[in-house]
Amino acid sequence: MSVRRSLVIGTVGLAAVLAAQTTALATPSATSAGTQAAAAARPPGVIVEGSLRALGSFTGLRIGTAVNTDLLGADPAYTEIVNREFNTVTPENVMKWEVVEPTRGSYDFSGADELVKSAQQNGQLVRGHTLVWHSQLPSWLASNGGMTTTFTDQQVKDIVKKHIQDEAGRYKGRIWAWDVVNEAFNDDGTPRQSIFYKAWGNSTDYIADAFRWADQADPSAQLFYNDYNIEYTGPKSQAVYDLVKKLKAQGVPIDGVGFQTHLSTQYGFPDLQQTMQRFADLGLNVAETEVDVRTAVKPGATAGTFTSEPLSNLHASTQQAYWDQSLKACLFVQRCVSYTVWGVADSNSWIPGVFPGEGAALLFNDSYQAKREYTVVQQDLALAAGMARHRTGEGSGGR
Ligand code: 9MR
């Protein structure tokens, strides 16, 4: 009985897939007047055939982007892409502690509220980012890059608990997944000596407490540990593996691990699929949470400036290969629940500001035209449409 039912669904699904694949060949142009008029006429939440979110939905894989709320709503081309292509959104900055509580006890949730509201209107889930992170802390709480505070250990503990209760509690029931703790380890696998680590008596026990408090504040959200440079085998990845294995064994409410996946063509491609599978085998969901692929770019007209053009065709084709491989790593791991890119257009990316001379890291160019990289991702999602569905618990229920 259940076999027959799934066959029927399979046939309907296949027809839809074939239709989607036909349109998948068309590359969207967000800046053309026609597309913008179509966007204006389309009610929020209506899915465009052949978009990344539509293609991902055939296997249940969520496709997301980091959102800059200064542009959302203000820049029509940007907004159109966010809502047409993605069905999860991550606030790039507006849920970070320095933004939501710039002065002790005085909150500013305006940007976060705006994003959550827009997501609800556009049928998108929200990845909350991030509750406990040494970076982007308010200056009243920490200095020296999150390593120093004037508060006592007990005060820091109370402040962290209140922060989690207040922020996760405010959005209770409206966040799909929280990055509860972000970047707690150094590249050599040693724990980062943050104010949190120190307040808990030079121990990573703050991580377990943060997950427990987040679970109390929002029991339906999936709770993630999130980090970079854990995509490949090495001491940092191992340290995170050991941590989350211990948390699971202790019954700490953790649902998944986020692999940020900030890739660069100057390094080899990581053994990402194997690494994610290894974590998934612990009974955890995994996700690629901040994907971008940077490369060397051509210099601009003025000395010291740069374009968003890859230095050569070889640079560009390697980037395309990395997009392809990073998505396939997620497609081939059934517990990989989402694939999130860290921004929309090359011009919105954090990369040029932090790595001068590198860029071209995203799926759309500076004029919001879809790049070849977009087509690579789109085609992989279309080809994956017949594969088994991803195991996408919509909340913490699958824990
Ligand atoms: O993209 C974010 C950028 O706008 C901020 O200035 C920066 C501050 O640290 O954070 C960037 O996002 C980071 C994310 O929150 C955590 N992982 C690394 C991301 C890139 O730095």
Side-chain angles (χ1 to χ4, degrees):
M1 179 64 186
S2 61
V3 174
R4 264 194 70 187
R5 241 185 103 205
S6 65
L7 278 176
V8 173
I9 293 166
T11 314
V12 174
L14 193 60
V17 168
L18 290 174
Q21 281 178 342
T22 313
T23 48
L25 297 175
T27 300
S29 154
T31 48
S32 77
T35 310
Q36 286 204 18
R42 192 174 69 243
V46 170
I47 310 298
V48 175
E49 246 181 43
S51 62
L52 303 185
R53 64 185 285 181
L55 293 168
S57 69
F58 289 122
T59 53
L61 179 64
R62 293 270 168 180
I63 309 296
T65 186
V67 172
N68 177 341
T69 49
D70 291 340
L71 299 174
L72 190 72
D75 180 335
Y78 177 91
T79 308
E80 155 67 2
I81 295 175
V82 168
N83 295 331
R84 184 187 64 218
E85 299 296 337
F86 302 102
N87 57 10
T88 81
V89 287
T90 306
E92 186 172 1
N93 287 302
V94 291
M95 282 190 182
K96 292 172 180 174
W97 201 333
E98 71 173 6
V99 176
V100 301
E101 197 182 2
T103 310
R104 191 172 184 195
S106 134
Y107 293 103
D108 180 1
F109 286 110
S110 55
D113 285 355
E114 184 197 327
L115 183 73
V116 171
K117 185 171 165 216
S118 170
Q120 280 175 336
Q121 288 170 343
N122 288 283
Q124 295 158 324
L125 299 178
V126 180
R127 279 194 62 88
H129 176 84
T130 171
L131 293 170
V132 179
W133 186 29
H134 67 281
S135 187
Q136 290 182 281
L137 289 173
S139 54
W140 60 265
L141 174 59
S143 57
N144 188 23
M147 302 300 125
T148 309
T149 184
T150 55
F151 292 100
T152 65
D153 291 351
Q154 189 56 46
Q155 283 174 323
V156 171
K157 288 184 178 183
D158 294 344
I159 288 168
V160 170
K161 182 174 185 182
K162 180 169 166 39
H163 170 64
I164 293 174
Q165 287 172 335
D166 289 351
E167 182 160 10
R170 180 182 183 89
Y171 297 107
K172 181 179 178 185
R174 291 184 289 166
I175 300 291
W176 176 48
W178 263 113
D179 287 334
V180 178
V181 176
N182 197 38
E183 303 175 4
F185 290 90
N186 299 308
D187 281 349
D188 64 3
T190 56
R192 201 184 286 279
Q193 314 274 304
S194 65
I195 61 165
F196 313 118
Y197 179 79
K198 290 172 184 162
W200 265 256
N202 290 332
S203 108
T204 54
D205 288 350
Y206 72 92
I207 299 175
D209 279 339
F211 276 87
R212 291 190 191 103
W213 293 333
D215 184 50
Q216 285 161 15
D218 188 354
S220 66
Q222 289 192 39
L223 305 181
F224 274 69
Y225 175 83
N226 191 53
D227 215 329
Y228 63 91
N229 284 353
I230 57 168
E231 295 81 13
Y232 52 88
T233 309
K236 185 174 189 177
S237 190
Q238 187 61 42
V240 173
Y241 182 88
D242 293 341
L243 166 82
V244 296
K245 188 175 176 189
K246 189 174 91 184
L247 294 178
K248 283 286 282 184
Q250 292 173 339
V252 174
I254 178 170
D255 297 287
V257 173
F259 296 74
Q260 293 185 7
T261 322
H262 292 291
L263 300 171
S264 166
T265 60
Q266 66 179 304
Y267 307 117
F269 190 82
D271 51 347
L272 180 54
Q273 184 189 331
Q274 292 85 334
T275 307
M276 286 201 295
Q277 188 61 57
R278 190 162 169 252
F279 280 78
D281 290 343
L282 291 173
L284 290 164
N285 287 344
V286 294
E288 289 179 49
T289 53
E290 306 183 12
V291 186
D292 49 27
V293 184
R294 62 186 188 270
T295 198
V297 288
K298 290 180 181 162
T302 328
T305 64
F306 294 92
T307 68
S308 296
E309 286 295 312
L311 212 49
S312 74
N313 287 341
L314 188 57
H315 288 76
S317 66
T318 303
Q319 285 182 294
Q320 288 148 23
Y322 280 23
W323 281 101
D324 174 56
Q325 291 176 77
S326 67
L327 176 55
K328 280 180 179 151
C330 184
L331 288 170
F332 291 144
V333 175
Q334 220 190 336
R335 291 195 76 134
C336 186
V337 295
S338 63
Y339 181 85
T340 296
V341 303
W342 203 244
V344 172
D346 292 340
S347 49
N348 323 133
S349 168
W350 68 292
I351 295 289
V354 175
F355 301 99
E358 295 182 69
L362 292 170
L363 300 176
F364 291 82
N365 70 15
D366 292 350
S367 330
Y368 294 117
Q369 301 292 324
K371 293 161 51 178
R372 171 74 192 142
E373 283 78 354
Y374 172 91
T375 319
V376 167
V377 168
Q378 190 188 37
Q379 186 178 20
D380 280 348
L381 291 173
L383 291 172
M387 288 171 61
R389 286 187 70 77
H390 282 260
R391 186 193 172 289
T392 53
E394 288 296 298
S396 61
R399 193 176 292 154

